[in-house]
Amino acid sequence: MVEMRKPVLVSEAVRLVMEHSYLGGTDTIPLEHTYGRILAEPIIAKHDVPSFDRSPYDGFAVRAKDTEGASGDNRIQFTVIGEIGAGHVATSGIGPREAYRIMTGAPIPDNANAVVMLEQTTEGKDRFSLRKPFSEGENISFKGEDAKEGELLVESGAFIHPGTIALLATFGYATVKVAKRPIVGILSTGTELLDVSDELVPGKIRNSNGPMIAAQLTRMGLGYKSYGMQEDDLDACTEVVRKALIETDVLITTGGVSVGDYDHLPAIYERLGAKVLFNKVAMRPGSVTTVAVLGKKLLFGLSGNPSACFTGFELFARPAILAMQGANTPYMPRMQAILGEDFGKPNPFTRFIRAFWEMTSEGIVAVPAGFNKSNAVSSIARGNCLIALPSGTRGYTAGTHVDILLLGSEQGVSEWVL
Ligand code: AMP
Ligand code: MG
């Protein structure tokens, strides 16, 4: 008898996976290797930024009160008493109608409280004249205006991107505490599978899921352990999964999770004593997507169908792997787009359509990326987003507003909203 599986909603499946995603542990690594990692400590300003009042322009540092009454008819003359380049400090303060020539980034000398931009002066060699008054603080980049000492600037769990690295460098973090990354294994199952370099023979197909998942992990900045391809042999497969679980924190398998005669993953989970969180999700493609846990280890049983496999990874494996690192924005960003063409199929389950979005004169338009069945591979290649159509809806006509989930954005969002 074919086993009856109870589908869980996508949101429930996401919740279940995230609830079981915890790894813990940190690495302290050199700043230059932190791009793409998850911060395991908050960035708290160690000092004011800037740490001294400085000039944001090339110009002259003056006392505002000396500029009072300046106009086209009443030019006020200043004497230049020295020059301050970035990285240097003035040797003295300034007196009445004196000025320092000052460069961008240089500290404001004592007594000065305004900067006159070079373009606003009529310049002589050691003198210049002004045609307008300046107020106190004008054109000064103040100590602490960017960040105040002790201020929480970036929370632990943030994705480290180039901007984060700039901030870490500002505060002298030569090394940074980041979350440990899980070790992820990939195993492609199916007697029909050939290697990428093999010639096609009748009944066989090349393994596209293995390289695809590897690249999905690479896109997340993660390495992986490949367990290659396994024929649909229960004993042999069980042994590979058992070995992989010793060596990895997360094992992603493709194929063999359905209810066919050669779909052995359910039996393998049972043999290994893994707890199945769900084995059917109310979604298309990928309704057979299965997630199981064994201790702290996660097993993602993705469908062999390429589009389903791809979608299962993005919806469940990706946020879980990020959550294992304590990431606080693990989900794909969502936007609204105008559906670019009719999509006639009814949607008994939530449907994820590989699609291409772009900004047009009408706004953001998303067009399904071609042949969109769960076994499609071409539409994955053309898509840059997933259109998400809620369950219980009929066909959609072009022009309707739809939700889209963005693929490949390095910074996600903190909540699953569909
Ligand atoms: P399964 O999930 O094992 O029932 O496989 C579903 C479909 O996906 C079948 O048509 C398989 O031939 C195909 N398939 C399974 N594994 C892969 C793979 N690694 N790469 C591409 N297609 C696959
Ligand atoms: Mg199979």
Side-chain angles (χ1 to χ4, degrees):
M1 196 185 82
V2 174
E3 172 204 7
M4 284 301 290
R5 296 183 179 182
K6 193 176 163 319
V8 296
L9 293 176
V10 178
S11 54
E12 175 64 3
V14 169
R15 195 190 62 76
L16 282 167
V17 173
M18 297 305 265
E19 201 177 276
H20 289 85
S21 300
Y22 176 75
L23 181 67
T26 60
D27 294 323
T28 298
I29 60 171
L31 178 65
E32 61 267 34
H33 295 157
T34 56
Y35 171 70
R37 302 294 295 256
I38 305 296
L39 262 181
E41 59 181 327
I43 308 179
I44 295 168
K46 291 186 179 176
H47 50 72
D48 284 349
V49 183
S51 54
F52 51 88
D53 289 351
R54 66 184 178 190
S55 176
Y57 302 117
D58 294 324
F60 297 97
V62 297
R63 307 188 322 171
K65 66 177 173 212
D66 294 342
T67 70
E68 272 169 27
S71 70
D73 299 332
N74 179 31
R75 298 183 181 215
I76 298 181
Q77 292 274 329
F78 284 80
T79 308
V80 180
I81 61 166
E83 184 186 284
I84 322 165
H88 295 276
V89 178
T91 45
S92 69
I94 56 172
R97 301 228 170 153
E98 287 181 347
Y100 259 103
R101 186 163 163 113
I102 193 165
M103 309 306 157
T104 307
I108 305 294
D110 288 348
N111 308 336
N113 55 15
V115 169
V116 177
M117 289 164 75
L118 217 47
E119 300 86 319
Q120 296 170 318
T121 61
T122 322
E123 209 188 337
K125 192 169 177 322
D126 301 317
R127 310 180 66 73
F128 65 92
S129 65
L130 281 187
R131 284 184 291 188
K132 77 175 234 12
F134 284 76
S135 54
E136 205 177 311
E138 198 168 337
N139 295 335
I140 289 186
S141 167
F142 289 104
K143 177 176 190 290
E145 69 178 10
D146 193 354
K148 289 250 180 306
E149 183 177 348
E151 195 182 334
L152 171 62
L153 298 172
V154 179
E155 296 197 19
S156 181
F159 176 89
I160 300 178
H161 57 70
T164 330
I165 290 176
L167 192 60
L168 289 162
T170 299
F171 294 119
Y173 285 82
T175 60
V176 185
K177 209 159 113 189
V178 298
K180 242 192 203 344
R181 277 178 160 158
I183 299 168
V184 185
I186 307 171
L187 168 65
S188 307
T189 74
T191 302
E192 72 276 37
L193 299 182
L194 296 172
D195 218 342
V196 180
S197 51
D198 290 340
E199 281 299 319
L200 277 186
V201 291
K204 303 270 183 181
I205 59 167
R206 293 195 185 95
N207 170 19
S208 61
N209 291 343
M212 175 178 73
I213 295 168
Q216 285 173 295
L217 290 165
T218 305
R219 173 145 86 177
M220 296 178 67
L222 260 80
Y224 58 90
K225 264 177 140 50
S226 176
Y227 291 91
M229 303 184 293
Q230 271 297 311
E231 298 199 353
D232 296 312
D233 176 291
L234 178 57
D235 289 336
C237 258
T238 308
E239 280 327 296
V240 178
V241 173
R242 194 192 301 279
K243 174 172 183 283
L245 281 176
I246 295 167
E247 299 170 344
T248 61
D249 303 300
V250 177
L251 178 65
I252 302 176
T253 59
T254 93
V257 277
S258 193
V259 291
D261 292 348
Y262 300 100
D263 291 328
H264 295 314
L265 263 299
I268 294 173
Y269 299 140
E270 201 173 316
R271 279 185 173 190
L272 298 178
K275 178 178 146 207
V276 174
L277 299 180
F278 53 84
N279 57 14
K280 192 167 173 90
V281 187
M283 68 177 204
R284 292 257 153 77
S287 63
V288 298
T289 306
T290 299
V291 178
V293 288
L294 187 63
K296 264 170 56 172
K297 311 215 168 191
L298 283 175
L299 295 101
F300 289 89
L302 304 182
S303 164
N305 282 313
S307 283
C309 179
F310 177 85
T311 308
F313 180 95
E314 296 295 329
L315 292 182
F316 306 115
R318 185 175 180 281
I321 289 167
L322 285 165
M324 289 176 99
Q325 301 167 72
N328 48 24
T329 55
Y331 301 113
M332 282 179 273
R334 182 181 61 137
M335 289 197 312
Q336 279 231 317
I338 301 162
L339 188 60
E341 62 183 46
D342 290 347
F343 190 83
K345 291 188 205 168
N347 308 295
F349 283 172
T350 307
R351 192 187 292 280
F352 296 97
I353 306 166
R354 276 74 58 218
F356 189 85
W357 76 269
E358 66 184 330
M359 188 71 189
T360 72
S361 52
E362 265 85 76
I364 296 167
V365 173
V367 182
F371 182 66
N372 235 293
K373 290 208 173 137
S374 71
N375 55 4
V377 68
S378 58
S379 58
I380 324 174
R382 288 189 291 258
N384 64 1
C385 69
L386 297 172
I387 297 175
L389 302 180
S391 64
T393 53
R394 302 198 148 269
Y396 280 71
T397 47
T400 315
H401 284 265
V402 290
D403 281 325
I404 63 173
L405 297 172
L406 306 190
L407 296 167
S409 32
E410 58 175 25
Q411 266 182 294
V413 296
S414 59
E415 271 182 76
W416 175 260
V417 282
L418 294 173

